[in-house]
Amino acid sequence: MQDEMVRLDFEQSRRLLESSKKVIPGGVNSNVRMGEQPHPIFFESAEGPYLFDADGNRLIDYVMGQGPMLLGHRPDFVLEAVEHQLSQGILYGGQHELEVEAARLITRMVPSAEMVRFNMTGTEAVQAALRIARASTGRHLVVKFEGHYHGWADSVLFNVGSGSVPGAEGLGMAAVPESAGMAPEAGSSLTVAPWNDADALDEVLASVGDSVAAVIMEPVMANSGVIEPAPGYLEAVRDLCDRHGIVLIFDEVITGFRAGLGGAQGRYGVTPDLTTMGKALASGFPVGCVTGRREIMEIVSTGTVTHAGTFNASPISMAAARAALEHLYLGGSELYDMLEERGHRLMQGLRGVIDSHGAPCLVQGLPTVFNLMFTDMGAVRDHREVLMTDKARRAAFQSHLAAAGVRISGLGNLFLSSAHTEEVIDSTVERFDRALRSFLSG
């Protein structure tokens, strides 16, 4: 293990990346990973709150698989469940009790969950939710919000990291595609609105509400600054959807089981009609789901709505999901109180370091997922303000942070896990201090 005061080097990872680029575009299999600083790192193993890379470095991990590892890397009870299932079978192409047990756990924990359909990813879950909403309402339009990410499919990949044009011609905002190669007509059934502005949504729905099948949002804007909803905002959106007969969808792929046992909807006390979940659902195994009110979900059972997938509810993933969900369910308030306490400890520790250096940095969000931004603003309230922060400077700082042995996401998010002990958190604060001092000294 390296001396904790040594500046880490990632030369072997750099060589592996260059070799990888010969057979994998960009050397990575998700564009999100290209934002890693100082460059994408190659890892060999993980345990608890730590990652071990190809250079023999140990890093305190706050990427945690981009959020899924709420219980830390390689929790014993999840591994045992998966190992047992491996001895029974990998894929049946049919039903098994594990999927029923996992679904029942979700219905006990998530306020909106009366019925559940499993798939593999959050992107798939969102597409299923939109299809169900359209089928149940007989309408076609979807309202999404700028800065909110709902997966990489053409139908929703608009106005995520880019700027929107306020007051664009027509309703809402100009739909800005986030990728080349998207179908030109992909945004034709989409209206984009500013988030955290109930009056703006009211204005949009007053004009097109009768054609809107669904309003979809991250109840906490976790993909852009980790911004909480303004007081009363979620309630206002719920009321507007009820008034216009619109299906309200919460995309809780990040906040599900991370913002609390019942997700963000449990934390803020507002229940959507449909919810999409993933990430922490199965402690790192590929599982997503769409869940919601029985009267809406049952349309899938009629056969008029197609929802399919060879690997949906695979026994291995369901074994992991049941073990992870059962642990969260039994841990209950005691587990989540501990997570909140440790998250606050980390946030306050980082803020103390920032204040001591007089650095233009902001730490903002929930205790279990928060964001680091370079800005003089005291708070970031919407996507427009996120765009005003200095992302290039944050990326440069992340190289210093990695060299000090702390890894955070390219978007600036820090994901906490139950494996981040007080000792690990205090070590993180010390390393953050060293990295920030090095960065500011130029």
Side-chain angles (χ1 to χ4, degrees), residues 233-377:
Y233 177 68
L234 296 181
E235 291 86 346
V237 175
R238 174 72 276 179
D239 180 65
L240 286 169
C241 287
D242 288 341
R243 196 185 312 167
H244 292 278
I246 296 168
V247 174
L248 176 58
I249 304 171
F250 278 2
D251 183 340
E252 295 226 45
V253 171
I254 288 181
T255 54
F257 308 112
R258 179 168 284 281
L261 189 64
Q265 59 195 264
R267 188 183 189 95
Y268 299 106
V270 176
T271 304
D273 300 301
L274 295 175
T275 302
T276 60
M277 308 182 89
K279 295 190 184 287
L281 174 57
S283 196
F285 282 80
V287 180
C289 77
V290 55
T291 183
R293 288 168 40 207
R294 181 178 301 275
E295 63 188 83
I296 298 177
M297 290 292 297
E298 279 196 326
I299 196 170
V300 180
S301 66
T302 66
T304 58
V305 172
T306 298
H307 175 255
T310 297
F311 298 102
N312 288 1
S314 73
I316 303 302
S317 292
M318 287 295 98
R322 184 187 65 172
L325 292 171
E326 189 171 59
H327 183 84
L328 294 173
Y329 183 68
L330 295 176
S333 60
E334 184 177 349
L335 172 62
Y336 280 94
D337 287 347
M338 178 269 288
L339 286 166
E340 294 270 321
E341 181 180 343
R342 291 184 185 175
H344 282 299
R345 183 187 186 101
L346 178 57
M347 294 174 79
Q348 292 303 324
L350 300 185
R351 287 168 178 156
V353 170
I354 289 166
D355 290 344
S356 71
H357 290 286
C361 296
L362 173 65
V363 169
Q364 172 179 296
L366 303 178
T368 53
V369 54
F370 58 88
N371 192 266
L372 171 69
M373 289 169 272
F374 273 75
T375 178
D376 290 318
M377 291 182 281

Side-chain angles (χ1 to χ4, degrees), residues 125-145 150 155-156 189-193 201 204-205 208-217 237-238 240-242 244-251 272-276 290 296:
V126 165
Q127 296 305 303
L130 295 179
R131 180 174 288 179
I132 291 168
R134 287 182 168 123
S136 66
T137 61
R139 303 171 180 178
H140 69 285
L141 280 180
V142 171
V143 176
K144 78 170 295 283
F145 299 92
H150 304 296
S155 60
V156 288
S189 294
L190 196 70
T191 294
V192 182
L201 181 60
V204 169
L205 296 183
V208 295
D210 291 345
S211 299
V212 175
V215 169
I216 185 169
M217 70 162 74
V237 175
R238 174 72 276 179
L240 286 169
C241 287
D242 288 341
H244 292 278
I246 296 168
V247 174
L248 176 58
I249 304 171
F250 278 2
D251 183 340
D273 300 301
L274 295 175
T275 302
T276 60
V290 55
I296 298 177

Side-chain angles (χ1 to χ4, degrees), residues 220-232:
V220 176
M221 194 160 70
N223 279 287
S224 183
V226 190
I227 301 170
E228 292 190 75

Side-chain angles (χ1 to χ4, degrees), residues 33-79:
R33 300 172 196 166
M34 291 197 292
E36 179 115 21
Q37 299 296 331
H39 50 70
I41 298 171
F42 278 68
F43 298 100
E44 295 186 345
S45 63
E47 183 174 7
Y50 301 113
L51 283 170
F52 301 86
D53 72 7
D55 287 273
N57 300 315
R58 184 186 75 174
L59 291 92
I60 301 176
D61 185 25
Y62 289 99
V63 177
M64 301 310 289
Q66 298 296 344
M69 315 308 296
L70 179 62
L71 302 173
H73 291 288
R74 296 198 297 126
D76 291 344
F77 49 90
V78 174
L79 292 183

Side-chain angles (χ1 to χ4, degrees), residues 382-426:
D382 57 34
H383 181 59
R384 305 276 173 87
E385 291 187 351
V386 172
L387 295 176
M388 293 166 58
T389 65
D390 194 337
K391 295 184 180 180
R393 199 171 188 201
R394 181 179 64 199
F397 170 66
Q398 285 176 242
S399 291
H400 289 258
L401 199 54
V406 177
R407 182 182 184 234
I408 71 174
S409 83
L411 294 174
N413 281 0
L414 285 84
F415 293 95
L416 191 76
S417 81
S418 59
H420 288 90
T421 63
E422 292 184 356
E423 181 182 9
V424 171
I425 288 168
D426 292 344

